[in-house]
Amino acid sequence: MIEKEVLIIGAGPIGIACALECKKRALDYVVVEKGPLTNSLYQYPLNMTFFSTSEKLEIGGIPFISNQPKPNRDEALEYYRRVVTSNNLNINLYEEVIAVEKVENYFMVTSEKNRYRVKNVIVGTGFYDIPKKLDIPGEELAKVTHYFKEAHPYVLQKVIVVGASNSAVDAALEIWRKGGEVTMVVRGATIGDRVKYWVKPDIENRIKEGSIKAFFNAQLSEIKENEVIIKTSEGTATIPNDFVLALTGYRPDFDFLEKMGVRLTQDANRFPEYDEKTMETNVSGLYLAGVICGGMETHKWFIENSRVHADIIVKHISDNL
C-alpha cells in the first residue's frame, strides 16, 4: 500500500501543472497515467499546429519557446517533457487506474500495478480516448478509424472523412495534398465555425473548386468493404471507398466519473458537478481539472483556459490539510 496526500490521474498538460503546484507546496503526490506522457497530445496528427500561441500553453510559469507564433505537436511534446524531467516530477506512466473508492476520509485507488491510500484525488483525464461512434453497420471494419495520425497511408486511396471540425478539416486537406481522393461527409450545412481561421478558407476553396468532394446535410449510413452508403437530403449515394476516417469528436469517460461518485447532469451535455471556486466535486476531496469539466462540451475547456485549475485545486487542498 502506497500512501500519498494527492494522487493525480492523467499526465497531460493540466495533470503536469497540478504536479508542479503540489511540488511547490511540498505536498506528497503522485501522477498516474495509463499511457505515455501527455498521451492525448501524442495521439494528435504528426503535423498538427495549435490554435493557441506558445505562451498560452505554458504551465507553472515555465517559458515555452517556439520557432513559430503557433507551436506544433512536436514542440509541445518537447516542452512538456522538459517541464517534467527538469522538475523531476513524480509520474508513473503506463499504469491505468482501475478503481477509486472512498473509505471514510481516504480514497483507495487501485491501478494495474499498485494500490494507493490517498487523501485527495485530482482527475485530469481529458476526453481524447473515447471516440463518439457513428453506430452504423460496418463501423467495426479494419478500414475505419476514429483517429488521424498522418496522410501517407492514404496516398492514391479513396478516403471518406466524416465531420467538419478542425481534426476532420486538417485530415482532409493533408490527405488531398499527399495524393488521396477525399470525400467529406458533413452532418451540417457548412464547415464548422470553430475551424481555425487560417484553415477554413483553404478547405472551403478546395471544396468549391472540386478538389475535395463534400456531401453537406448528409450522414454515413453504412460502410462496406469496397464502398460506403451516404444518406443525403437528395437521396442515397453509394460511392467506392478504401478508408473511412470518422473524425466526429470524442467524449470523457463518464462511467469512470460515476463509479467514483461524481454526479452528472442527465441531459445530453452530461456536465459533472463541481464547485467552480475550488474545482471540488460533490465527493469531498475529489477534484476535476481540465477539459473533463466540460462534459460533452469538449470545446469549452482547453489548455490555455484550464491551466488555472492547478493552482485553484492545490491551494484548496493545501489549505485544508
Side-chain angles (χ1 to χ4, degrees):
M1 181 75 69
I2 301 172
E3 300 209 5
K4 296 288 179 183
E5 290 176 318
V6 182
L7 184 141
I8 302 162
I9 305 175
I14 307 306
I16 295 170
C18 290
L20 282 171
E21 291 299 322
C22 285
K23 185 171 183 178
K24 288 178 184 177
R25 295 177 181 271
L27 298 180
D28 187 14
Y29 74 93
V30 63
V31 182
V32 180
E33 164 62 56
K34 70 177 181 180
L37 188 68
T38 57
N39 186 39
S40 291
L41 298 189
Y42 171 72
Q43 300 292 344
Y44 284 176
L46 298 181
N47 296 324
M48 195 209 78
T49 298
F50 282 84
F51 193 100
S52 302
T53 54
S54 58
E55 67 270 15
K56 293 182 179 180
L57 301 177
E58 293 173 355
I59 56 175
I62 300 169
F64 181 174
I65 308 301
S66 171
N67 293 324
Q68 303 294 330
K70 299 179 187 300
N72 60 36
R73 167 189 176 273
D74 286 351
E75 288 178 313
L77 291 178
E78 176 71 5
Y79 169 72
Y80 294 116
R81 180 185 68 79
R82 286 188 175 274
V83 169
V84 167
T85 55
S86 62
N87 287 278
N88 196 28
L89 298 181
N90 185 23
I91 298 179
N92 294 345
L93 301 175
Y94 301 101
E95 181 179 340
E96 183 173 4
V97 171
I98 306 301
V100 177
E101 180 183 5
K102 187 160 191 185
V103 180
E104 296 180 346
N105 294 322
Y106 289 86
F107 291 92
M108 306 303 295
V109 181
T110 303
S111 76
E112 292 177 320
K113 300 178 180 179
N114 293 298
R115 187 164 170 79
Y116 302 87
R117 183 174 181 263
V118 300
K119 294 180 180 178
N120 300 277
V121 173
I122 302 173
V123 182
T125 50
F127 64 89
Y128 203 61
D129 290 326
I130 305 176
K132 297 176 185 176
K133 294 294 185 71
L134 299 174
D135 291 327
I136 61 174
E139 190 171 9
E140 75 286 350
L141 292 173
K143 71 173 188 175
V144 181
T145 180
H146 294 274
Y147 296 90
F148 172 69
K149 197 72 171 182
E150 59 178 326
H152 183 77
Y154 308 110
V155 173
L156 304 178
Q157 301 297 291
K158 294 178 174 62
V159 182
I160 289 285
V161 176
V162 183
S165 62
N166 278 298
S167 58
V169 168
D170 286 346
L173 286 169
E174 191 169 346
I175 293 170
W176 168 71
R177 291 192 183 104
K178 295 296 191 295
E181 183 182 321
V182 180
T183 300
M184 298 185 72
V185 179
V186 182
R187 184 180 292 271
T190 62
I191 295 297
D193 292 335
R194 288 192 295 270
V195 170
K196 290 172 282 194
Y197 66 86
W198 66 92
V199 174
K200 196 166 187 282
D202 191 1
I203 187 65
E204 289 175 336
N205 286 332
R206 301 295 75 74
I207 292 171
K208 185 177 180 180
E209 71 187 15
S211 298
I212 293 176
K213 300 173 186 175
F215 289 91
F216 290 101
N217 296 313
Q219 54 187 320
L220 216 56
S221 61
E222 185 175 357
I223 303 169
K224 298 183 178 182
E225 286 288 352
N226 300 306
E227 60 187 16
V228 297
I229 300 175
I230 304 169
K231 183 180 179 181
T232 76
S233 57
E234 299 177 355
T236 299
T238 301
I239 64 174
N241 171 256
D242 298 307
F243 290 97
V244 173
L245 276 66
L247 304 179
T248 52
Y250 310 92
R251 66 175 183 82
D253 190 343
F254 296 120
D255 290 341
F256 183 60
L257 288 178
E258 288 185 313
K259 286 177 182 177
M260 289 187 287
V262 178
R263 288 194 289 264
L264 306 173
T265 60
Q266 295 306 303
D267 57 14
N269 289 319
R270 304 290 281 157
F271 293 128
E273 182 177 324
Y274 65 92
D275 185 338
E276 293 183 359
K277 295 180 180 178
T278 65
M279 309 308 295
E280 187 175 28
T281 68
N282 57 282
V283 180
S284 177
L286 179 61
Y287 300 80
L288 301 182
V291 296
I292 196 170
C293 299
M296 286 299 292
E297 290 193 353
T298 52
H299 61 277
K300 184 176 182 179
W301 294 102
F302 34 95
I303 298 171
E304 69 177 68
N305 71 346
S306 64
R307 55 186 177 172
V308 297
H309 293 171
D311 181 63
I312 293 170
I313 293 169
V314 178
K315 182 181 185 302
H316 189 256
I317 290 174
S318 182
D319 290 345
N320 288 278
L321 283 178

